[in-house]
Amino acid sequence: QGAIDATDDGGELFVPSGTYTGPFTIDKSLTLTGESQESVFIENENISADVIRVCYSSGAECDVTIQNVTIRNGRYGIYSKSTGAVNVLNSTFYHNGYDGAELPDPDSETAQADYAQFHPSNGLTSSGGAMRIRNSNGSEIAGNTVYDNLRGIRFQDSHDGHIHSNVSYQNFESGIYLAAGSYDGNTGCSNTLVENNEVYGNRNNGLLSIGGIGNTFSNNNVYENWNSGVQLWSSGDITIEGNTIVGNNHKS
């Protein structure tokens, strides 16, 4: 945290290999670059708090890039309320909103009841996931590997985003989620492109859009998600083209 605070507004912080235990706060424009996602681990001791919060209290227009790191063991790995561009690049996220507890057998005769009992009480937070990027403008989320989180990539009430070239799999909720602050169609993301992602094996939907307008899902490979490959709630003017969507809706 001291290194973050000492970095000039708009500057870059290079993070060498190692394990860094948070939680951490970024309240300025900043680029945080790890030596590599295989060797830089940013984490909490447990999943009760977000690992990195970006302009969370102020909601200021911070332009923040986080890249080449692994973020794990938080409620959300990254929770941003910045109205600027928040870019998350070439990073790995796991065990955010989920502590890695052993799961029931999904192929047993009692699987549905076992998972219903597991979900609210064992190893999961009530809210959480790899990332929650809210209220941003012009963000890029690309090249990330996201697995074994409560939620995958959650992009909420944000505009002109580009979510591409990610792999999101085996998360409890949706793999890639365009979220909204309400469920009546009056809020959500706009003019956001979700393309060229690999989304599979998530325990809810592959791609989900709640609210929003003018968003596009193209050339994604969406398969073997337990619920729908693509699910839309109260969305308008949505383009879905060139995707491969196969083998979804196969678990209760």
Side-chain angles (χ1 to χ4, degrees):
Q1 185 65 57
I4 292 171
D5 295 343
T7 302
D8 291 339
D9 188 20
E12 181 170 9
L13 173 62
F14 176 77
V15 183
S17 297
T19 299
Y20 302 86
T21 303
F24 300 104
T25 299
I26 298 172
D27 281 322
K28 67 182 90 174
S29 294
L30 177 77
T31 296
L32 188 154
T33 301
E35 186 167 343
S36 75
Q37 59 185 301
E38 293 79 21
S39 66
V40 176
F41 299 94
I42 305 175
E43 63 183 27
N44 284 349
E45 291 184 356
N46 58 61
I47 63 173
S48 62
D50 306 320
V51 180
I52 300 175
R53 285 187 167 182
V54 177
C55 294
Y56 184 89
S57 298
S58 67
E61 189 176 347
C62 306
D63 294 327
V64 172
T65 296
I66 298 172
Q67 57 190 355
N68 303 343
V69 298
T70 288
I71 300 178
R72 62 188 183 186
N73 300 341
R75 189 183 72 130
Y76 278 103
I78 300 171
Y79 195 149
S80 171
K81 292 185 179 179
S82 166
T83 56
V86 178
N87 306 311
V88 184
L89 308 174
N90 303 320
S91 294
T92 298
F93 295 80
Y94 65 90
H95 291 175
N96 297 290
Y98 163 56
D99 68 3
E102 185 177 355
L103 300 177
D105 179 0
D107 297 316
S108 74
E109 292 183 357
T110 60
Q112 187 177 29
D114 293 344
Y115 269 86
Q117 182 178 6
F118 177 91
H119 187 74
S121 58
N122 299 66
L124 292 169
T125 54
S126 60
S127 178
M131 67 189 77
R132 186 174 183 177
I133 311 301
R134 295 178 63 179
N135 308 326
S136 75
N137 290 276
S139 295
E140 181 182 17
I141 300 172
N144 301 292
T145 301
V146 178
Y147 67 96
D148 280 349
N149 303 281
L150 177 57
R151 291 177 180 84
I153 296 169
R154 181 173 181 171
F155 195 66
Q156 178 178 337
D157 295 320
S158 294
H159 313 289
D160 301 309
H162 191 193
I163 302 172
H164 66 96
S165 309
N166 303 284
V167 180
S168 185
Y169 67 98
Q170 292 179 2
N171 301 290
F172 280 85
E173 297 291 348
S174 299
I176 298 177
Y177 174 23
L178 300 187
S182 66
Y183 291 81
D184 56 11
N186 292 317
T187 59
C189 297
S190 69
N191 301 319
T192 291
L193 173 60
V194 180
E195 64 171 348
N196 298 319
N197 299 285
E198 193 90 2
V199 184
Y200 65 92
N202 295 287
R203 299 177 182 98
N204 202 332
N205 306 291
L207 305 175
L208 172 64
S209 178
I210 296 179
I213 191 165
N215 301 307
T216 298
F217 297 90
S218 68
N219 299 316
N220 300 287
N221 195 13
V222 185
Y223 59 96
E224 295 179 5
N225 298 285
W226 290 18
N227 198 354
S228 300
V230 180
Q231 186 169 119
L232 309 178
W233 297 6
S234 302
S235 302
D237 190 22
I238 305 297
T239 300
I240 302 173
E241 62 183 5
N243 303 280
T244 298
I245 305 170
V246 64
N248 301 287
N249 289 306
H250 67 94
K251 297 286 186 192
S252 296

